[in-house]
Amino acid sequence: MKPTDTIYGLHLYGLTPSALARLGATPVRIEVMLDTYRITPALRRLRPEQRGEFLKARAAKMRRAVERKWPFGKVAFDNRDAVLSRMTTTVRAKDVATIAALPGRSFVTVERIQGRRRKPYRRGALEYYCVRAKVAIQIEGQTRGTQEWEDRFVLVRATGHKDAIRRLRKEWVRYAEPGINRDNQLFRYQLEKVVDVYYTCEQTIDPNGSEVFSVFHERRMKPEYVWRGD
């Protein structure tokens, strides 16, 4: 991941990292998240019950270092959490990418750019949703034995969960058009139900990898599932 990939909020201004840099000395208010939860060998060696104090002490040290050596202007920390360390500061637009590349930071969020207005939220804007559906593979006249079914995921741009389902109605009709199998029997892929709709949070689909669906499950622990943290 490039440092500029950890600069968030620019899409609200219609800017890229390079376009922001071209604004030069324009004041930009940013929030910087320090990488206080970084996994290091020293942290790994501790027992879980020891790690809380270690994380607090390390976060305090990182904050002091920033306050002492930060070359980009005055900073203010949100100290409501002893470990999670957010700081806000106003810097030149051309310095934001440099800050994003500094060691010890997690990500940078652009909160305000002088002379620029955020793009207004457009009600009804299209975003990516993934619809998961159960589809039965039906063969004409079959009354016994086993029936195959498909766990199908379809990506669609919509304004919300209900709109995503509505926009796929024609797709399910098209998908269920009958065909002929190797035994010359008619068959079709018939929608049984929509199982879930997942909001991807993605504006564009990255060919290097974009999460389009996720669901969490639980299972009973077995020896082969155990991870010792090494």
Side-chain angles (χ1 to χ4, degrees):
M1 179 182 291
K2 297 179 295 184
T4 51
D5 291 338
T6 59
I7 302 175
Y8 300 117
L10 285 178
H11 69 283
L12 298 174
Y13 295 92
L15 294 174
T16 62
S18 58
L20 177 67
R22 287 195 293 271
L23 296 180
T26 301
V28 178
R29 185 171 178 81
I30 60 174
E31 179 185 82
V32 181
M33 182 76 76
L34 300 186
D35 193 12
T36 51
Y37 281 95
R38 184 173 68 254
I39 306 301
T40 60
L43 182 64
R44 285 179 179 272
R45 287 192 294 268
L46 297 174
R47 296 190 300 274
E49 61 271 19
Q50 297 174 312
R51 290 174 183 159
E53 291 304 314
F54 176 89
L55 289 170
K56 290 178 184 178
R58 186 173 68 178
K61 183 177 179 180
M62 292 174 72
R63 289 194 293 268
R64 288 194 299 270
V66 168
E67 291 169 336
R68 187 171 61 251
K69 298 180 179 179
W70 187 255
F72 301 101
K74 186 177 179 180
V75 299
F77 276 100
D78 178 352
N79 292 318
R80 287 175 292 181
D81 189 299
V83 179
L84 190 64
S85 295
R86 297 184 181 94
M87 72 177 198
T88 54
T89 184
T90 299
V91 301
R92 297 176 302 180
K94 63 182 181 181
D95 291 330
V96 175
T98 301
I99 293 169
L102 291 175
R105 64 93 193 101
S106 182
F107 57 83
V108 173
T109 301
V110 173
E111 295 188 334
R112 188 164 61 247
I113 302 175
Q114 184 172 299
R116 297 254 172 170
R117 302 181 73 174
R118 288 190 178 196
K119 294 166 62 177
Y121 173 74
R122 291 186 299 113
R123 188 177 180 84
L126 296 179
E127 298 179 276
Y128 280 107
Y129 289 79
C130 186
V131 177
R132 181 183 186 183
K134 183 177 182 180
V135 178
I137 303 174
Q138 298 177 329
I139 299 175
E140 63 172 331
Q142 182 183 12
T143 60
R144 63 179 67 185
T146 59
Q147 182 186 60
E148 281 189 285
W149 63 276
E150 179 185 15
D151 197 7
R152 191 171 190 232
F153 298 79
V154 182
L155 197 63
V156 61
R157 295 193 72 186
T159 60
H161 289 67
K162 290 183 179 179
D163 186 48
I165 294 173
R166 181 187 65 79
R167 286 173 180 268
L168 287 178
R169 287 174 184 165
K170 290 183 179 179
E171 164 62 16
W172 297 122
V173 173
R174 183 201 65 78
Y175 199 58
E177 284 291 324
I180 297 180
N181 65 16
R182 288 177 295 182
D183 295 321
N184 296 317
Q185 296 169 301
L186 293 176
F187 75 96
R188 68 176 182 176
Y189 291 88
Q190 179 63 37
L191 172 69
E192 283 198 351
K193 65 176 181 179
V194 171
V195 177
D196 200 0
V197 180
Y198 182 74
Y199 173 49
T200 68
C201 301
E202 300 287 352
Q203 301 292 323
T204 59
I205 299 302
D206 187 344
N208 294 315
S210 292
E211 179 180 288
V212 296
F213 200 89
S214 176
V215 61
F216 293 94
H217 301 279
E218 291 184 355
R219 63 186 182 185
R220 190 172 298 280
M221 284 299 298
K222 295 181 180 180
E224 57 265 34
Y225 301 155
V226 174
W227 178 48
R228 301 297 180 188
D230 50 8

